Amino acid sequence: MAKDLRSFLKRIEANAPSELVRVSRPVSPVYELPGVLRKLQSEGRYPVVLFESVEGSGLRTISNVLGSATLLAEALETTPTEMTRAYIDREDARIPYEVVDGGPVQDVVIGAEDVNVHEIPIVTNCGKDSGPFISAGITTVRHPGTDNFNSGIYRMMVHSRNTLGMSYEKHTHIGQVHRPYEARGEPLEAATWIGHHPACLLGCQSKIPFGEDEYEVMGGLLQEPLAVTKAKTVDILVPAYAEVVIEGRILPHERIGEGPYGEFTWYYGLERPSPVMEVTAITHRKDAIFHHLFAAHPEHNLTGRLGRESVLYKRVKAAVPSVIDVAMPMSGICRFHAYVRIRKEYDGAGKLAALAALSSDPFVKLAVVVDEDVDIHNDADVLWAIATRTQPDRSTFFVPESATSRLDPASYSIWSRWEKDTMNTKWAIDATKPVEAPFEERADVPRDAWESMDLSDYLAEWRSVDRA
């Protein structure tokens, strides 16, 4: 059997049953469904939640699929400490997709005349959201003149029974594909697929060069070819084991206001005129499970984390080959903070690593570089290194007027610090010890005295707690 959303849920049931919970009572898709997730978050709990009954729809809904580091690791069938390395290795070991005839995603086919996206359990998350948004849809378009496909997640606002607003910048890969079609006055065929193995969500967030195929990255992360089949009304190959596919055409020169929308920053992305997709068909499994990504909360951030960490690691390694590990922590919403752990071989290496980290991604605002004895997956340990190993006037530097995303709430323009645009100041902290000068030694119990210790041999009752 091909890996899909259902095989992932079976894995969670077998390996981490406490990470999957079910809600049997009917819930409203407006605030109540995300309210359950928000209540869990307030208690420090981030399980996958399967809603078995959503008002106004016959489809079940699942959310928080990637709500914690534990679930992120399970998506790659590895551990939280090894998942970044596993992602990097598999992203580079791509597997071509496999074309099949049909598939369960086309069990039910709804043509253009009967399409009604209001019958899908599309959720309204935040108090000032302008309406329901598809948040976990992976939109795929064909690279012109090739057999390669570009895939990415773009928020999609419901405008009517058969039109969806799509939010993406001109510089994105889909924006680059769309631009020449629009210049010719032609629609761009697209397919948005929802509900699959979460490794596919991670794969579509890969930062591979324009023109290369995210389907192949997904295959590498799945460790098997992604099975795809021909869509019914557009010239796109879609995953045969997805839960739902929305086929359509992105219309030329058509823009409708969409937003506000609770974004990955945990602030609202403002209203703006955005492209429009006209729906030409919907296909889905007979008992489809709709995937809702919990926007403006941890799942939103974690979904994009590993693709960015991969770029971060590769860029830093090119500058400082002794890099050991990197992390983009939740404290920086998996975008704005980059932690880098190096085996420092010469003085100045920390600043080189920081410069490489800052240039790895426009979103990165702060880079912190630490020694190999610091745990970059623990904010407290990183802050301890900053507190005890820095001379702020020598260890900190700034890069003003650097490019960032307009979604950065603190961004500014070339004209004014108070005009929101695509610039911000980046900064870095070299929290490493000197190599050629003496420095204090860290006090600790010898590692071989405790690292392999099993506390159940010492404590009558012991339950490990996942703090990720």
Side-chain angles (χ1 to χ4, degrees):
M1 290 293 293
K3 291 181 181 178
D4 60 6
L5 176 60
R6 298 169 191 231
S7 69
F8 174 73
L9 295 180
K10 288 179 181 178
R11 178 179 174 85
I12 296 300
E13 285 183 311
N15 292 354
S18 63
E19 298 297 325
L20 175 61
V21 299
R22 291 175 170 81
V23 175
S24 58
R25 61 179 285 178
V27 296
S28 168
V30 181
Y31 306 144
E32 186 179 12
L33 186 153
V36 173
L37 304 172
R38 185 64 182 85
K39 182 64 175 179
L40 285 165
Q41 180 184 345
S42 72
E43 298 178 358
R45 300 169 61 195
Y46 302 93
V48 182
V49 184
L50 178 61
F51 296 90
E52 296 176 340
S53 177
V54 180
E55 294 172 4
S57 177
L59 304 185
R60 295 172 291 169
T61 299
I62 199 160
S63 194
N64 244 23
V65 170
L66 292 173
S68 69
T70 297
L71 295 170
L72 205 61
E74 287 293 340
L76 296 177
E77 301 179 2
T78 185
T79 64
T81 56
E82 295 296 325
M83 65 185 176
T84 300
R85 183 75 255 175
Y87 183 96
I88 293 169
D89 291 344
R90 295 177 198 174
E91 181 184 49
D92 292 339
R94 303 176 200 175
I95 299 176
Y97 58 80
E98 181 180 285
V99 182
V100 299
D101 185 17
V105 75
Q106 293 177 345
D107 286 345
V108 177
V109 178
I110 303 170
E113 292 183 359
D114 299 317
V115 158
N116 185 358
V117 296
H118 295 293
E119 295 176 352
I120 300 173
I122 303 173
V123 175
T124 304
N125 283 301
C126 300
K128 292 186 178 180
D129 282 359
S130 56
F133 281 77
I134 296 173
S135 54
I138 299 176
T139 298
T140 297
V141 297
R142 182 186 290 275
H143 284 289
T146 74
D147 290 328
N148 285 354
F149 293 93
N150 173 258
S151 301
I153 299 176
Y154 313 99
R155 74 191 202 201
M156 305 180 77
M157 178 181 169
V158 176
H159 288 317
S160 72
R161 71 166 187 87
N162 67 341
T163 55
L164 298 166
M166 298 186 65
S167 178
Y168 51 82
E169 303 284 357
K170 292 180 179 180
H171 67 268
T172 60
H173 288 181
I174 191 173
Q176 293 179 61
V177 174
H178 184 205
R179 198 153 48 245
Y181 279 86
E182 189 162 54
R184 296 192 299 267
E186 299 174 3
L188 172 63
E189 293 187 338
T192 299
W193 43 285
I194 307 151
H196 207 299
H197 194 285
C200 293
L201 272 79
L202 301 179
C204 83
Q205 296 298 288
S206 171
K207 304 304 176 185
I208 58 176
F210 178 69
E212 297 182 8
D213 198 326
E214 281 87 359
Y215 277 176
E216 295 186 354
V217 176
M218 295 175 199
L221 298 182
L222 289 167
Q223 299 183 287
E224 66 180 35
L226 179 69
V228 295
T229 190
K230 286 191 64 175
K232 292 295 185 180
T233 61
V234 293
D235 185 23
I236 305 288
L237 294 175
V238 297
Y241 290 89
E243 297 289 328
V244 178
V245 172
I246 300 175
E247 302 178 11
R249 307 180 307 157
I250 302 174
L251 303 177
H253 309 299
E254 184 79 22
R255 299 291 188 273
I256 298 178
E258 60 86 35
Y261 176 69
E263 271 289 357
F264 70 88
T265 57
W266 298 15
Y267 292 88
Y268 287 99
L270 300 180
E271 178 182 354
R272 57 184 175 183
S274 296
V276 176
M277 179 169 140
E278 179 184 66
V279 180
T280 55
I282 296 176
T283 72
H284 62 80
R285 294 190 184 215
K286 291 178 182 176
D287 57 344
I289 304 172
F290 182 80
H291 181 191
H292 160 255
L293 187 146
F294 189 23
H297 293 86
E299 185 184 14
H300 199 168
N301 307 118
L302 288 166
T303 299
R305 171 182 158 183
L306 294 179
R308 285 178 162 79
E309 286 182 345
S310 174
V311 175
L312 173 62
Y313 179 86
K314 292 173 183 177
R315 295 282 175 85
V316 174
K317 187 172 180 63
V320 181
S322 62
V323 61
I324 298 171
D325 197 8
V326 300
M328 300 189 79
M330 183 59 71
S331 57
I333 53 176
C334 302
R335 300 288 194 284
F336 294 144
H337 293 174
Y339 294 166
V340 179
R341 179 172 166 244
I342 66 171
R343 185 177 297 106
K344 190 173 179 181
E345 297 175 337
Y346 54 88
D347 287 317
K351 284 190 170 61
L352 281 180
L355 286 166
L358 290 178
S359 65
S360 69
D361 189 323
F363 282 100
V364 174
K365 292 171 65 174
L366 167 65
V368 181
V369 183
V370 298
D371 295 295
E372 58 188 304
D373 65 327
V374 177
D375 180 4
I376 58 174
H377 302 287
N378 181 338
D379 276 324
D381 217 33
V382 173
L383 290 172
W384 171 82
I386 293 172
T388 62
R389 296 184 180 180
T390 62
Q391 296 176 346
D393 61 322
R394 301 177 68 186
S395 305
T396 305
F397 64 90
F398 300 89
V399 184
E401 298 183 355
S402 184
T404 187
S405 167
R406 196 185 303 270
L407 289 173
D408 178 355
S411 65
Y412 57 79
S413 79
I414 191 68
W415 305 108
S416 169
R417 286 296 182 113
W418 309 113
E419 180 181 66
K420 188 176 176 61
D421 203 359
T422 58
M423 301 178 71
N424 208 329
T425 299
K426 292 175 179 277
W427 62 303
I429 302 173
D430 179 3
T432 59
K433 298 182 294 184
V435 173
E436 297 185 15
F439 200 84
E440 302 291 341
E441 183 178 353
R442 184 171 186 168
D444 201 357
V445 177
R447 185 173 291 272
D448 58 5
W450 61 267
E451 190 170 45
S452 61
M453 185 179 289
D454 185 347
L455 286 176
S456 64
D457 294 336
Y458 298 84
L459 305 177
E461 294 183 5
W462 178 255
R463 181 173 63 89
S464 62
V465 177
D466 176 19
R467 298 181 185 275

